[in-house]
Amino acid sequence: MSPVEPALVPAPRTVEEAAPGGFPLTPDTPLSAGPGTGTTERWLRSTLGPALGLRFPPGTEDTRDGLRLRLDDTLAPEAYRLAVLPGRGVEIAGGGPAGVFWGAQTLRQLLGPDAFRKAPVRPGATRTVPHRIVEDEPRFRWRGLMLDVARHFMPKEGVLRYLDLMAAHKLNVLHFHLTDDQGWRIEIERYPRLTETGSWRARTKLGHRASPLWNDTPHGGHYTQDDIREIVAYAAERHIAVVPEIDVPGHSQAAIAAYPELGNTDVVDTSSLTVWDTWGINPNVLAPTDTTLRFYEGVLEEVLELFPADATGPSAFASSPPSSPAPSFSSFVHIGGDECPKDQWRASDVAQKRIADLGLADEDALQSWFIGHFAGWLAERGRRLIGWDEILQGGLAPGAAVSSWRGYAGGVAAARAGHDVVMCPEQHVYLDHRQDAGPEEPVPIGYVRTLEDVYRFEPVPAELTSEDAGRVLGTQANAWSEVTENQARVDYQVFPRLAALAEVAWSALPAPAERDFAGFERRMAAHYRRLDALGVAYRPPAGPLPWQRRPGVLGRPVDGAPPQR
């Protein structure tokens, strides 16, 4: 894309100038929506229309002076063709409903930053869409963002806002991290203490766990079941699948604080445990007992009802013909499986008896059995387990998928073993990591990951064969919230780097060293104006603004370049 072409992010496959000038959108421009395009029609009327003062009166499929939406079964499910031609208005054709929706996101960018506002700032102005033909489709099926709402709770309105931000960047999976040591965020009706007790902590470590600072204001909150239903429905209208994460068997102190029998009661006094108020790897893990298994089966029964699988779409793991709907990942349930210390199991007579009764080799095999139990339980209900790459230890049930976070190695091993993979290595796409080495960077965590670093991230390791590479479903950025306690801090860490990740996930980019980062920066100059209109408190290219700095709050910076594998 040349500098004179529209500054689209993520970059489309092709943009062709159809003619000089453009098509004017006025308050009377009609909208014609063909079968299967209802989500895009509703979005245009509820979001784009109010931003620009467009009424979009109903049109017909023969309308030549309006906006037309239709399906085209010659296109791939998420592909689209946006054509703005003289005398023919604007037409968005998609291989499926999602393709039409992504085409509408491109139309929004073509209309300028005012299209990203809530109400017109120039009432009555004519909006001109340049005469262009944009043909586009995504590289990866899984294009995601993980939001950690367990460490610091994000109110429902903030989650809905992030779904809108994801849609604007053509991301289609929200990995929703709902439980951890520091808080349980989802209402489970049969276990009310999970939110009555488990969703609140008395205080919070301020900064990294080595920091001497504390925030003594109690922190917490949770989503009611109707909140969850609203979030899932709102996401579905934007063609985003929501994958819930319920952590087992580690990262579970909030649950144990609510129901002490879930912990290793023969090793520690679990009745004295509270919701954890600091960060790090917690030694208090679930007991490998039938009581624990039945408890979490009860939790997951309610989770499955709240996060229904899309039974009408094709398998999310098999290729589909162009006329099929876009793949849905709503059948996945994430169970964590990471950072589970085994010290309590080694000291527990109950855990050791379980190991002996099952004929297992050791505590790692016990965790594999624990994860395997839920993989089978979910499979019996038509769902698929996904977990962090530690679930590979001791063997993994067929059909389970892996989020590769400790580098590329777990993803490589999983793909070679026949498992589907989402690449999200900590060293490259953890957005809580710092964006610069300068002293003014707020609460510096981990490696320096600049906008350019994220733009040059490659999700598919070169050592994979073409068959194994096909098991890489895609990639996601992870936004952990230990040191991002409010919307402004989340925005600062996530943007603008999420725009770079979105382009990596969507666009057909060359090898990392050959990518045109200078061209991406030029397009971002326009994209920052869109983010401004959306009210995103991103990190400016020149560095943090005075009110974005956090002097005196310790982080955990890691010097040097991150490992590449």
Side-chain angles (χ1 to χ4, degrees):
M1 183 182 299
S2 71
V4 299
E5 288 296 347
L8 300 176
V9 177
R13 299 221 167 190
T14 64
V15 179
E16 175 187 347
E17 183 177 15
F23 174 75
L25 287 181
T26 72
D28 296 321
T29 298
L31 170 61
S32 170
T37 67
T39 53
T40 302
E41 179 188 13
R42 288 189 291 273
W43 181 85
L44 287 168
R45 295 189 185 281
S46 66
T47 302
L48 188 62
L52 299 177
L54 304 175
R55 294 193 296 270
F56 288 129
T60 69
E61 62 182 25
D62 297 324
T63 299
R64 295 294 179 180
D65 59 349
L67 172 57
R68 299 180 305 281
L69 312 175
R70 68 179 182 89
L71 299 184
D72 181 346
D73 62 9
T74 67
L75 299 174
E78 289 191 279
Y80 67 88
R81 183 177 186 268
L82 169 62
V84 188
L85 302 173
R88 299 190 62 185
V90 180
E91 180 178 89
I92 302 174
V100 179
F101 185 75
W102 304 135
Q105 302 311 306
T106 297
L107 173 64
R108 187 189 198 185
Q109 291 195 13
L110 291 172
L111 287 166
D114 286 357
F116 291 79
R117 297 190 178 275
K118 297 289 188 183
V121 294
R122 295 168 182 83
T126 298
R127 307 293 173 166
T128 300
V129 191
H131 287 138
R132 298 288 188 273
I133 298 174
V134 182
E135 295 185 339
D136 202 8
E137 66 179 295
R139 177 188 179 191
F140 290 109
R141 292 173 289 163
W142 184 300
R143 307 179 303 278
L145 170 67
M146 189 223 69
L147 280 181
D148 170 22
V149 298
R151 273 53 177 272
H152 278 99
F153 179 62
M154 179 181 286
K156 179 194 68 178
E157 292 74 14
V159 178
L160 300 179
R161 174 177 177 267
Y162 259 85
L163 288 168
D164 282 330
L165 293 172
M166 290 175 64
H169 292 83
K170 299 185 175 73
L171 298 172
N172 68 341
V173 179
L174 172 64
H175 174 171
F176 206 17
H177 184 80
L178 289 163
T179 74
D180 216 296
D181 299 303
Q182 296 86 2
W184 184 284
R185 305 298 179 208
I186 177 172
E187 177 188 24
I188 302 297
E189 290 180 347
R190 74 187 69 183
Y191 302 126
R193 294 206 304 271
L194 285 172
T195 48
E196 291 171 356
T197 298
S199 70
W200 289 91
R201 58 178 181 262
R203 63 175 187 168
T204 300
K205 174 64 69 174
L206 189 59
H208 182 251
R209 61 181 176 271
S211 168
L213 304 176
W214 293 88
N215 181 342
D216 289 319
T217 302
H219 179 83
H222 73 275
Y223 309 106
T224 68
Q225 293 205 349
D226 280 346
D227 289 338
I228 294 291
R229 293 185 181 100
E230 180 182 357
I231 288 167
V232 171
Y234 195 84
E237 279 284 297
R238 286 145 185 80
H239 298 276
I240 297 172
V242 183
V243 176
E245 180 175 351
I246 306 296
D247 265 298
V248 297
H251 288 290
S252 298
Q253 184 163 319
I256 297 170
Y259 291 90
E261 64 271 23
L262 297 175
N264 295 282
T265 57
D266 60 338
V267 177
V268 296
D269 178 12
T270 57
S271 65
S272 67
L273 295 178
T274 60
V275 177
W276 213 26
D277 57 12
T278 190
W279 322 121
I281 299 177
N282 191 316
N284 295 301
V285 302
L286 298 174
T289 63
D290 289 343
T291 296
T292 300
L293 297 181
R294 300 294 87 77
F295 183 95
Y296 275 88
E297 287 170 2
V299 168
L300 290 172
E301 284 176 0
E302 296 193 25
V303 167
L304 297 192
E305 188 274 327
L306 294 170
F307 296 88
D310 180 5
T312 62
S315 167
F317 328 106
S319 59
S320 54
S323 59
S324 299
S328 170
F329 295 105
S330 57
S331 60
F332 276 115
V333 175
H334 206 293
I335 51 71
D338 63 314
E339 297 182 329
C340 178
K342 309 298 191 298
D343 294 343
Q344 290 185 359
W345 287 357
R346 293 187 186 96
S348 167
D349 291 339
V350 172
Q352 293 302 310
K353 184 176 186 302
R354 177 68 90 177
I355 290 173
D357 290 347
L358 294 171
L360 302 176
D362 54 21
E363 291 76 18
D364 285 341
L366 182 61
Q367 176 167 333
S368 177
W369 165 82
F370 195 104
I371 299 299
H373 172 85
F374 288 105
W377 188 91
L378 288 167
E380 289 171 359
R381 290 154 179 81
R383 307 299 282 268
R384 287 192 67 187
L385 180 147
I386 184 170
W388 303 109
D389 53 60
E390 285 97 327
I391 67 175
L392 289 164
Q393 297 168 3
L396 184 57
V402 171
S403 302
S404 186
W405 78 274
R406 294 180 300 171
Y408 286 91
V412 170
R416 287 174 174 169
H419 297 283
D420 289 325
V421 178
V422 176
M423 282 292 186
C424 49
E426 173 188 17
Q427 304 89 341
H428 302 278
V429 291
Y430 269 34
L431 300 186
D432 53 315
H433 282 208
R434 57 191 173 139
Q435 302 182 65
D436 189 84
E440 294 179 338
E441 204 64 28
V443 199
I445 300 293
Y447 294 101
V448 172
R449 293 288 84 193
T450 65
L451 182 66
E452 181 173 1
D453 291 328
V454 176
Y455 189 68
R456 297 193 189 279
F457 165 62
E458 173 49 51
V460 180
E463 63 262 40
L464 289 181
T465 65
S466 59
E467 179 181 359
D468 292 341
R471 297 190 179 96
V472 179
L473 298 175
T475 184
Q476 68 181 36
N478 294 343
W480 298 101
S481 67
E482 287 93 334
V483 298
T484 53
E485 72 279 6
N486 56 40
Q487 176 176 294
R489 284 287 294 124
V490 175
D491 281 3
Y492 180 91
Q493 293 300 134
V494 169
F495 286 99
R497 292 182 296 179
L498 189 64
L501 186 279
E503 184 146 314
V504 167
W506 178 277
S507 304
L509 298 177
E514 300 169 6
R515 292 176 188 172
D516 181 12
F517 179 68
F520 178 72
E521 279 191 307
R522 284 193 295 270
R523 287 182 284 122
M524 282 301 299
H527 198 63
Y528 287 124
R529 295 178 62 203
R530 300 174 189 137
L531 297 179
D532 288 334
L534 288 166
V536 177
Y538 58 85
R539 181 190 189 274
L545 298 168
W547 53 87
Q548 292 175 318
R549 300 166 189 161
R550 301 290 300 281
V553 182
L554 293 179
R556 182 185 57 85
V558 180
D559 294 329
Q564 294 301 305
R565 289 291 179 264

